[in-house]
Amino acid sequence: MRHPLAAIPLFGALLAICVACTDRGTRQPTVTVQARDHRFVVQARGELIPSEAVDIRVPDGLNMGFDIAWMVPEYSAVEKGQVIVRFDDTDIQISREQIVVEVANRDLQLGVHSQDSAIARTLIDHERVRVAGEQDIARTFTHVEDPLLFSRNEILDALGDLNLLEVEDAYFAWAAETHDRRTTAELHRLIAFRDTSRSQLDKQESALAVMELTSPADGTFVYARTPWGEKLTRGQRVFPGRSVGLLPVKGKVRARIYVPEVDAIGLAEGQGISLRLDSAVERSFAGHISNVSSVAIPRSRDNPQKYFVVEAEPDEVDADLMRVGSSLNATIVTGHVEGGFLLPYQAVFYEQDQPFVYLVDGNTTLRRDVRLGHESPTLVEVVAGLAAGDRVGVAAPEGGSE
């Protein structure tokens, strides 16, 4: 992976520059190859972040977002139990009041249903009692032993009334059974609606119970960051399980450095690094790289510039001086060259990934394939293909090489 190297301010301090004349009378700038020692470095800005901290999160179990209304100032010293974050509960309070009314309506519907069901069942039961009594009377007329007591027509009418009453009795038995099934189904439906409303009310009550987050321990409160790397601020929405801040453990820090993508040449884990805090520029802390991001990403959604994120562990920590959030300058050593041939980056050309240079010999320009070693945005090491004293053009010849 290509990563950053330090820019070299003055090529004249490294390479002798002269001018060669071609047979066309043009003047081509060149550099003379000389063996020299060099250290490749990358310089970038960064900050201290906690390597060990207590994570403060929004409680799980609530499927809703919370808008931050207030946060204690970042890097404030907080005590255990102190309120550090408050959420805006306006919408939750309004929703809760609406659900309270809804729950009351559900309870009222259940009461009315129970009363109406009881009245309707009582009417059906009364009709069944009436029909049973009339059936007893009708059977009395149909089972008389003395035919002289009633006329034949009266007996036939009594038989017809008994048949009708039997039909009515069967109907009211069916009506009672149907009423019970319908009443039970409607009762279950109303109870389900009521329970759903109560569940929503419990959710709002649970949400109101976490409108304030308190510190779980003494420490220094540090804001959490969004996926874009921006720190949380008032008005932003967070969801259950999301971190809102940290309480770093004192003395447990590491450096996070942002290297511009254009400088990202040669970075690798294990390389040495020197850290200098803005708050103590007179001191330098040695360390080593522990991780290099695989891709470059923007630090902010408003700024498209991309950076490789490098994390480094200091070899020693001054707990009183090295505090989380402290800005710093980092110098990363990506390579050393002893007695190597260095050229300006613009003096190396490529054809199908094969690097080559233009050698200038008097009025003649020759193409020469080379093999490269360490690279930086401004310098490149040539490990094969050149000899001391060769003059190399820093621009392609106008008519091509011979």
Side-chain angles (χ1 to χ4, degrees):
M1 180 182 69
R2 288 174 64 87
H3 289 282
L5 286 190
I8 306 301
L10 294 175
F11 293 132
L14 300 174
L15 303 169
I17 300 179
C18 63
V19 177
C21 298
T22 68
D23 55 359
R24 298 175 179 81
T26 60
R27 298 175 63 82
Q28 181 182 5
T30 63
V31 294
T32 301
V33 177
Q34 295 181 6
R36 36 183 97 245
D37 300 337
H38 183 69
R39 186 180 69 158
F40 288 88
V41 298
V42 175
Q43 293 183 333
R45 294 283 294 172
E47 63 182 346
L48 292 179
I49 62 173
S51 58
E52 185 177 338
V54 178
D55 196 5
I56 303 173
R57 296 178 176 271
V58 181
D60 288 319
L62 296 172
N63 188 22
M64 60 190 305
F66 300 89
D67 295 327
I68 298 176
W70 173 85
M71 300 176 75
V72 69
E74 191 173 23
Y75 306 120
S76 297
V78 296
E79 299 178 352
K80 182 178 181 179
Q82 178 181 342
V83 175
I84 53 179
V85 179
R86 288 194 182 96
F87 299 113
D88 186 357
D89 64 351
T90 303
D91 292 339
I92 299 176
Q93 290 284 9
I94 294 174
S95 178
R96 178 186 176 279
E97 292 174 0
Q98 294 173 343
I99 295 176
V100 167
V101 174
E102 184 176 314
V103 170
N105 287 335
R106 298 297 186 190
D107 288 335
L108 179 61
Q109 289 176 353
L110 277 170
V112 171
H113 170 73
S114 298
Q115 291 180 353
D116 291 345
S117 176
I119 292 173
R121 181 56 192 265
T122 300
L123 292 176
I124 293 174
D125 291 342
H126 286 173
E127 289 298 316
R128 295 187 68 183
V129 171
R130 176 186 64 79
V131 170
E134 292 183 359
Q135 282 181 315
D136 291 339
I137 296 174
R139 290 190 185 95
T140 301
F141 284 97
T142 58
H143 292 85
V144 294
E145 297 179 358
D146 188 356
L148 299 178
L149 294 176
F150 299 100
S151 68
R152 184 177 180 82
N153 289 336
E154 288 176 331
I155 294 175
L156 292 175
D157 289 342
L159 289 172
D161 290 343
L162 181 59
N163 290 335
L164 176 62
L165 290 171
E166 289 176 350
V167 172
E168 288 184 343
D169 183 61
Y171 165 75
F172 285 118
W174 170 83
E177 182 181 357
T178 302
H179 174 271
D180 289 343
R181 289 200 303 267
R182 289 180 176 176
T183 298
T184 301
E186 180 65 12
L187 180 64
H188 289 166
R189 186 182 73 86
L190 292 175
I191 289 176
F193 285 157
R194 191 272 312 275
D195 290 345
T196 298
S197 297
R198 285 185 174 177
S199 177
Q200 292 176 345
L201 181 60
D202 291 341
K203 176 182 176 181
Q204 303 302 317
E205 297 284 2
S206 299
L208 289 175
V210 297
M211 286 296 98
E212 292 184 346
L213 298 182
T214 59
S215 175
D218 296 346
T220 301
F221 183 64
V222 180
Y223 293 170
R225 293 181 180 272
T226 68
W228 285 94
E230 301 168 342
K231 291 190 176 182
L232 291 180
T233 59
R234 176 181 176 183
Q236 288 185 322
R237 171 160 292 196
V238 293
F239 292 89
R242 172 69 188 279
S243 175
V244 295
L246 304 170
L247 292 179
V249 177
K250 187 175 181 179
K252 301 292 185 178
V253 296
R254 66 177 183 269
R256 176 173 291 165
I257 302 145
Y258 300 93
V259 181
E261 184 179 22
V262 295
D263 296 334
I265 303 175
L267 290 179
E269 295 183 9
Q271 291 176 339
I273 187 171
S274 175
L275 307 174
R276 197 176 296 274
L277 303 179
D278 290 354
S279 57
V281 294
E282 72 282 357
R283 293 188 60 182
S284 177
F285 296 89
H288 62 277
I289 294 178
S290 58
N291 184 61
V292 180
S293 63
S294 57
V295 295
I297 58 174
R299 294 187 62 181
S300 168
R301 69 180 64 189
D302 299 326
N303 187 348
Q305 183 175 0
K306 295 182 178 182
Y307 298 83
F308 281 93
V309 180
V310 176
E311 293 189 353
E313 303 290 339
D315 294 339
E316 61 173 331
V317 175
D318 185 332
D320 294 326
L321 180 63
M322 302 177 72
R323 297 179 177 273
V324 172
S326 299
S327 299
L328 56 85
N329 285 309
T331 301
I332 306 170
V333 180
T334 59
H336 294 271
V337 173
E338 295 183 1
F341 297 151
L342 302 177
L343 292 178
Y345 208 88
Q346 62 268 33
V348 180
F349 303 88
Y350 292 85
E351 182 176 343
Q352 297 181 349
D353 295 330
Q354 171 61 49
F356 65 91
V357 299
Y358 289 108
L359 288 181
V360 178
D361 184 9
N363 295 330
T364 303
T365 302
L366 301 175
R367 170 175 162 167
R368 174 75 58 83
D369 290 341
V370 294
R371 183 159 55 89
L372 305 181
H374 292 286
E375 299 180 45
S376 79
T378 56
L379 287 178
V380 60
E381 177 193 12
V382 177
V383 296
L386 293 179
D390 287 343
R391 286 194 300 162
V392 177
V394 296
E398 295 182 0
S401 61
E402 297 184 358

